[in-house]
């Protein structure tokens, strides 16, 4: 079992009225994806409108499985801020629920060992203000790729 | 395009490491392009520019003592200038203005103003949902697009490096190029360069230089009375696709697919008719994806397509003949310099790097993280 991610996120801006349900759920380490109850569309990041049916009244933020697959990734060797250790992997993860999220990939000693299509599961880094930031690590439930 | 619009002046400002101010460089670009056209500031009644200040075109109008009948300050990153050509052509054809100057200049290298992480705007969704992961902006997006492309089609970093190798070959023929006289670049140089955001190395990335340029547009009718051979605007198209890293489903098929199709249809030509191609090369992958998306080869084929020297000097598809953003100049937004080089090729002014008998040129700009895409087709006035 992989421990908590070993990195310290930069400052995460406060939630606004649209993103508050998403961030509140992170306090309990629940990953949510915005869903429109009028048409069933799921979208991320959360918005004030459904991009499929234009509804502004039918948007909910239900919990999702927290699993997905690596859509693509890059290993960064030159940090954009002073207190970030390199190298680390940043990825697009396509959630099982549908939408793509940007994230870090944790849980492998060599970040270049990741492959597009790898199954992943969410893991959380607690923020000083009580919210938490999701990242992803190899999915132990899927035995096809474990390093 | 019944009445017709032409580019009648084109120029660079000083390039490289200038120690000059943005407005000083803008002035060089604009006055040199106007002189090239045989015009002065007094002739200008339209201004399009970005990144001077919040009120960019207004700022420039004030600085030049002009009260324009038409301006555009659309901020769309590197493709804005190809968008400006479309809007300027429409404004001139509609009679709203007669002489438009499109310009850009940056002193980013002298001012050390470029940041690896990009610009922080805490109110946009990306600040909450993407920036906390410390991706490099824009590089990491292109790196993921490159990873996706190589994974899907089985290409190699060595094949992709050809874009940078070819750009250097062109730059060695251009005395204005930042890498002029610096010798050829090898595939090994590119893949062995410092890894920054894998699979892209420092040599897959464009230069960070000062520089910029300007082009002057007017009606084709008036253009025929001016001093330079008119370069006609034959077509244009654009697509705007994303600001986030996650909105676009397929990283390998950028908005250039649509912008190119629109531009070629408007011009009534196909890629086979293009003699010179100037595409945005913020990174090697940017140019590779663009060449493919514009329809010069089939899906998944671009790395094989360029492997035979086709895009090098003397090749069948002269690409980025100035040396491009990779080896000539990249002032943060390269789009205006794509236009300047395309115009010069169509006028036959390019000396050692001149493409013989160039009749049709395409300039294709890309902004942000494959966010904005704009294509312009230019042709020699017949
Ligand atoms: Zn809906």
């Amino acid at each position: 079992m992989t421990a908590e991610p070993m990195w310290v996120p930069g400052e995460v801006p406060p939630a606004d009225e649209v993103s508050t349900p998403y961030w509140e759920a992170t306090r309990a380490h629940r990953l949510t994806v915005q869903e429109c109850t009028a048409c069933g569309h799921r979208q991320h990041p959360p918005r004030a409108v459904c991009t499929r049916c234009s509804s502004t009244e039918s948007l909910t933020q239900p919990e999702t499985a927290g699993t997905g697959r690596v859509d693509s990734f890059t290993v960064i060797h030159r940090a954009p801020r002073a207190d970030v250790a390199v190298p680390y992997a940043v990825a697009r993860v396509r959630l099982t629920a549908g939408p793509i999220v940007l994230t870090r990939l944790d849980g492998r000693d060599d970040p270049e060992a990741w492959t597009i299509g790898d199954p992943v599961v969410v893991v959380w880094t607690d923020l000083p203000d009580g919210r938490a930031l999701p990242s992803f690590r190899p999915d132990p439930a899927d035995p096809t790729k474990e390093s | 395009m019944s009445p017709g619009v032409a580019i009648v002046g084109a120029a660079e400002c000083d390039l490289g490491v200038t120690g000059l101010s943005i407005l000083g460089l803008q002035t060089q670009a604009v006055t040199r392009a106007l002189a090239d056209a045989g015009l002065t500031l007094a002739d200008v009644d339209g201004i399009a520019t970005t990144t001077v200040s919040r009120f960019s075109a207004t700022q420039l109008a004030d600085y030049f003592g002009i009260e324009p009948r038409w301006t555009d300050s659309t901020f769309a990153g590197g493709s804005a200038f190809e968008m400006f050509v479309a809007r300027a052509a429409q404004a001139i054809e509609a009679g709203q203005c007669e002489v438009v100057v499109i310009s850009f200049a940056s002193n980013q290298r002298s001012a050390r103003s470029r940041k690896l992480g990009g610009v922080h705007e805490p109110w946009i969704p990306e600040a909450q949902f993407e920036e906390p992961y410390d991706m490099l902006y824009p590089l990491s997006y292109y790196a993921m697009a490159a990873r996706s492309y190589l994974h899907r089609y089985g290409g190699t970093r060595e094949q992709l490096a050809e874009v940078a190798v070819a750009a250097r070959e062109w730059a060695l023929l251009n005395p204005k190029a930042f890498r002029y006289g610096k010798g050829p670049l090898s595939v090994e140089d590119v893949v062995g360069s410092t890894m920054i955001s894998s699979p892209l190395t420092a040599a897959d990335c464009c230069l960070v230089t000062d520089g910029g340029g300007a082009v002057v547009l007017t009606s084709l009718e008036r253009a025929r009375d001016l001093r330079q051979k008119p370069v006609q605007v034959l077509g244009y198209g654009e697509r705007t696709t994303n600001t986030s890293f996650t909105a676009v489903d397929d990283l390998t098929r950028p908005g250039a697919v649509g912008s190119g199709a629109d531009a070629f249809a408007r011009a009534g030509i196909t890629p086979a008719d293009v003699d010179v191609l100037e595409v945005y090369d913020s990174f090697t992958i940017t140019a590779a994806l663009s060449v493919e998306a514009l329809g010069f080869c089939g899906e998944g084929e671009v790395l094989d397509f360029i492997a035979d020297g086709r895009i090098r000097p003397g090749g069948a598809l002269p690409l980025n003949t100035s040396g491009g953003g990779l080896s000539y100049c990249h002032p943060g937004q390269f789009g205006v310099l794509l236009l300047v080089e395309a115009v010069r090729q169509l006028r036959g002014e390019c000396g050692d790097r001149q493409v013989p008998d160039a009749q049709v040129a395409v300039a294709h700009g890309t902004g942000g993280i494959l966010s904005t895409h704009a294509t312009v087709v230019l042709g020699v006035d017949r």
Side-chain angles (χ1 to χ4, degrees), chain B residues 335-354:
Chain B
V336 76
L337 290 170
L338 299 171
L339 294 165
V340 169
E341 178 70 7
V343 167
R344 287 177 171 168
Q345 286 286 348
L346 293 176
R347 287 187 190 162
E349 299 173 347
C350 288
D352 291 344
R353 68 182 192 281
Q354 179 64 46

Side-chain angles (χ1 to χ4, degrees), chain B residues 68-119:
Chain B
R69 298 163 69 201
W70 176 91
T71 67
D72 192 341
S73 302
T74 300
F75 187 91
S79 71
F81 311 90
E82 284 68 34
M83 294 176 171
F84 288 154
V85 169
R87 288 149 177 66
Q90 291 162 2
I92 291 165
E93 289 181 339
Q96 190 181 347
C97 58
E98 193 176 353
V99 174
V100 172
V101 176
I102 296 171
S103 66
F104 174 81
S106 166
N107 62 356
Q108 63 169 3
R109 190 178 184 102
S110 299
R112 299 180 178 278
S113 56
R114 186 89 189 171
K115 291 184 172 62
L116 265 176
V119 176

Side-chain angles (χ1 to χ4, degrees), chain A residues 13 16 19 22-23 45 72-78 81 88 90 92 94 100-102 104 112 116 133-134, chain B residues 116-117 125 127-130 132-136 140 143-144 147-148 151 195-198 245-246 248-249 251:
Chain A
D16 54 39
S19 63
Y22 173 90
W23 286 112
S72 191
F73 71 100
T74 178
V75 178
I76 293 170
H77 294 262
R78 192 175 292 177
R81 56 189 172 95
Y88 55 93
V90 170
R92 286 174 24 129
R94 191 181 298 270
I100 298 168
V101 298
L102 194 72
R104 272 210 198 200
E112 286 288 356
I116 288 175
L133 193 64
Chain B
L116 265 176
Q128 293 179 46
F129 294 98
E130 299 190 350
Y133 298 104
D134 294 311
M135 74 292 193
L136 305 183
S140 291
M144 285 195 278
R147 173 99 53 190
S148 288
H151 179 81
M195 188 63 77
I196 300 185
S197 190
S198 73
F245 272 60
T246 56
V248 170
D249 195 66
L251 293 174

Side-chain angles (χ1 to χ4, degrees), chain A residues 38-52:
Chain A
C39 77
H41 181 57
R42 295 183 185 134
Q43 59 189 14
H44 182 84
R47 295 169 169 87
V49 62
C50 171
T51 60
R52 180 190 285 168

Side-chain angles (χ1 to χ4, degrees), chain B residues 235-305:
Chain B
Y236 45 76
E238 68 187 56
R239 285 292 189 280
T240 295
T241 52
N242 61 293
T243 52
S244 73
F245 272 60
T246 56
V248 170
D249 195 66
D250 182 352
L251 293 174
T252 69
R253 293 295 278 173
V257 173
S259 75
D262 285 0
F264 288 128
R266 188 176 280 270
I269 66 161
T270 72
D273 299 312
V274 176
D275 300 310
V276 184
L277 179 57
E278 310 289 346
V279 306
Y280 214 83
D281 58 346
S282 45
F283 306 99
T284 48
I285 188 65
T286 322
L289 291 179
S290 297
V291 168
E292 181 171 309
L294 291 171
F296 287 88
C297 62
E299 272 188 66
E301 295 175 358
V302 72
L303 297 180
D304 290 332
F305 180 71

Side-chain angles (χ1 to χ4, degrees), chain A residues 36-41 50-55 59:
Chain A
C36 174
T37 56
C39 77
H41 181 57
C50 171
T51 60
R52 180 190 285 168
C53 77
S54 299
S55 172
L59 296 162

